[in-house]
Amino acid sequence: MTQIPPIGSERKHSLRHLVEECFRREAGLSVAIPGDDVDLIERGILDSMGWVSFLRGVESASGAGELGSALNDRSASFAAILGALQRSESRIPEVPSDGSGRGISKGVVPAFTVGSSSVVGSQLIPSEEVDRAFGMSIGKLRSRAGIESVARAADGENELVLGAEAAQDALRAASCGAQQLDWIVATSETHHDYPSLSAQLHARLLVRENCGALDVGGACLGLLNAFAIAQSLIGSGQAQTVAVVTADVHSRTLTPGRVAGEFGGLFGDGASAFILRREESTDPNGGYRLGEFLFGCASQYAAAIQVSDAKDGGLAVRFDGEALSRAAITRMEKVLAAVELRSGISRADVGGFATHQPNPRLVTLLAKQCGVSPSAFPPIAKTSGNLGSSTCGAALHAALQAAAKQARGKRQPIFLASLGPGLLFGGGWLTPQD
Amino acid sequence: MSKLLITEITRMGPAFCIIGLQHQNEKIQSIRPVPSFSNGWPHFPHHRGDILECTLTPFPGNKPHVEDRVSTRGFKKISAVPEAETVVYLRKSEQARSLPDLFGCPIHENKKGSGLYANPREAQRSICGCETQNLRLELCANELRATLALPSGEVLRDLPVVDRDWRDFVDAALAEGRGANRTARLERFLNSHFHYKIMSCPHHFIRLGLTRPFYDLCWLMLDTLFPLPRREWLQEF
């Protein structure tokens, strides 16, 4: 029989807490936490659907991967789940903890944000003007989506210009020379040219020749994908310092006549950049430490949004706004719940929610569904429109700026959540290095 | 008297739920004969492909189980058709290619964990057939679950498999007399030979169903998976 290497009592406690929280969500608050050896199905506490649903909740919250196979031939009990989780944990290498015990997970190598920035296109267009350009009734974007204005790139601006500006600002904020960068990880949902955006940024920022350049996809989820890659590069020792850059210019692609205003009118142009390092920041305000990331794909919503090149050079857009709105709210709420469970950070203790913002109305709805204040969501889409992969980046930068104004020790964690067509989803968290 | 081609035999708790196809007014439609005393049959000795004679009340059941008809007498087998032919008829009855078309309503995901459900007030029917782009069965913590991709590309995860023959096959695979490592052997089969056998079968077809309202939600389940399992497959693992 395989011996399970022991795990610490603190970790055991946090796994138990996680399992109990998932159980409460499945069974309801009125159901008492059962004894470890109680078979939940035999006792009628959960039916078979509830049992699998509970298990999936634990998988998602713990990041333990597939537990179902490990629980075959075992009872439907807490003891079986905790045993499977411990076996799964024992396969992950131990990483030194910062000792705070909050929001730091096993298997995550420290990576810190030491500088950030975001910029938007220099033209600010009132939403009524966008309504007019797309032939929609005046006031539609404002009343239906809550968008007051949209940021648009001026003639000389594009993904490279906006991305480079954000990156330079972030480097300055981090007191980091461009030659110190080991990697540039770039993402954009609108830049499809070659050389790719990361290659163009490499040239524009004058980084070392042996600084790597990588483009990652994911559309609006791109920032989280890029963070996960950057964290892995730092964690594996491949890099000490990484620039993560997002840049999106929708106004050249989603034009009147090419797409409907109900879709194209929502988008703005912008960029964001983050400097990630292995070492903590020397800035007295300190940086934020990246926690874990969780990802997935809810393919049942894939049909809600599909964009492809048409043969005639046009753009084929399939956009079911109502279905996408429902899916976005449901999935982001689920992602934030999983982040809450996995990090052990209550949503009530979160200082900012840097989420994707399809439109301001949905952000308000998401806040309501999650039972948190809408003011914890930096208002990006309201004034700039949906910035694609840069929405989450602009929101995170705003949340970091707000946190920098707080005294050390008062700063709060930040949650990340985003979506991309597919329906790709991802989430994560950052904790202050106070 | 009505004639029904039996297409579904599902395990629902201790009872069996039956659905058959009826040819009526140039249309082939699904009918669920139910006893007057409950929604399921404690015993059902017949098989998929059997053509049974029965007496059904003309009144449809409540939404979304509009296929329900109370059976006022027993069943009498009059003939049978092979599996491939059964699927030919299934392809002529209720069919959909995308999630919202399955039951004529939006399908929602369980916010807490896994599973998909329909609102009983919105769903127009409780059974529908479809082709699949891909299909996987897994034993998840002792529960048989299906994950599949519809022709639209939409993926349905963790559907409970209630097909009587597939459930019987899994029970037989896990029977004590089959030696050691039974679960691991079954998992290996489901991850390899099973997939080839199912997806390469020219009459591969599935039917999805909705449960009776449970706390006001009707959950999706895999009612039928063609081809049906064969006993000789047990010798392969």
Side-chain angles (χ1 to χ4, degrees), chain B residues 6 15 20 66 113 118 130 139 179 212 234:
Chain B
I6 299 301
V66 294
C130 59
L139 206 55
R212 304 273 163 191
L234 290 171

Side-chain angles (χ1 to χ4, degrees), chain A residues 22 71 74 80 121 175 180 211-212 223 228 234 240 250 256 260 270 285 299 304 339 373 379 386 393 399 417 422:
Chain A
C22 290
L71 289 173
R74 291 171 198 274
S175 303
Q180 291 176 264
C211 167
L223 177 78
I234 290 171
Q240 288 288 326
H250 297 95
N285 284 326
S299 311
V339 169
S373 167
N386 178 343

Side-chain angles (χ1 to χ4, degrees), chain B:
Chain B
M1 290 293 250
S2 303
K3 271 198 245 176
L4 280 186
L5 167 61
I6 299 301
T7 52
E8 260 85 18
I9 305 173
T10 63
R11 271 203 216 168
M12 301 301 292
F16 298 104
C17 180
I18 315 299
I19 296 182
L21 296 181
Q22 188 181 45
H23 205 152
Q24 203 171 36
N25 304 328
E26 305 297 309
K27 243 175 74 177
I28 293 180
Q29 61 173 12
S30 298
I31 296 292
R32 183 184 295 107
V34 291
S36 55
F37 50 86
S38 72
N39 291 324
W41 301 88
H43 302 289
F44 191 74
H46 304 286
H47 303 279
R48 247 76 69 92
D50 286 355
I51 296 175
L52 305 181
E53 212 169 51
C54 53
T55 307
L56 304 171
T57 58
F59 312 111
N62 293 329
K63 269 175 71 176
H65 292 78
V66 294
E67 306 84 5
D68 284 5
R69 302 283 188 282
V70 174
S71 169
T72 53
R73 286 172 57 185
F75 299 100
K76 183 183 168 194
K77 181 176 172 178
I78 50 176
S79 62
V81 298
E83 190 173 290
E85 199 178 328
T86 304
V87 173
V88 169
Y89 289 112
L90 279 174
R91 286 185 170 132
K92 291 177 183 170
S93 68
E94 303 88 351
Q95 211 183 152
R97 296 178 58 81
S98 69
L99 205 46
D101 291 340
L102 281 173
F103 304 106
C105 67
I107 300 296
H108 310 275
E109 71 168 312
N110 179 8
K111 287 185 181 178
K112 297 178 296 188
S114 67
L116 296 163
Y117 65 86
N119 184 326
R121 282 173 294 282
E122 295 173 343
Q124 305 301 314
R125 60 187 178 207
S126 68
I127 186 75
C128 185
C130 59
E131 309 285 346
T132 65
Q133 287 184 341
N134 201 356
L135 184 142
R136 180 165 58 81
L137 287 192
E138 69 177 310
L139 206 55
C140 173
N142 303 315
E143 305 295 336
L144 190 61
R145 291 291 183 267
T147 295
L148 58 96
L150 297 178
S152 61
E154 293 159 311
V155 174
L156 285 66
R157 294 182 189 280
D158 284 330
L159 299 182
V161 180
V162 292
D163 183 308
R164 179 187 73 177
D165 294 68
W166 276 102
R167 293 276 296 265
D168 286 352
F169 179 80
V170 168
D171 288 349
L174 297 175
E176 277 189 24
R178 280 185 35 93
N181 303 321
R182 297 183 297 275
T183 307
R185 283 157 52 203
L186 174 62
E187 282 184 306
R188 262 203 306 280
F189 172 77
L190 292 178
N191 290 333
S192 55
H193 299 308
F194 162 82
H195 191 260
Y196 175 76
K197 288 177 193 298
I198 296 301
M199 299 311 294
S200 64
C201 175
H203 61 270
H204 166 50
F205 193 77
I206 64 161
R207 294 252 285 180
L208 299 171
L210 290 178
T211 63
R212 304 273 163 191
F214 182 69
Y215 290 104
D216 217 21
L217 305 175
C218 293
W219 296 87
L220 269 70
M221 49 192 176
L222 179 66
D223 274 20
T224 289
L225 166 58
F226 282 110
L228 296 175
R230 296 184 190 157
R231 280 207 82 79
E232 61 264 30
W233 292 352
L234 290 171
Q235 308 309 315
E236 297 179 18
F237 63 97

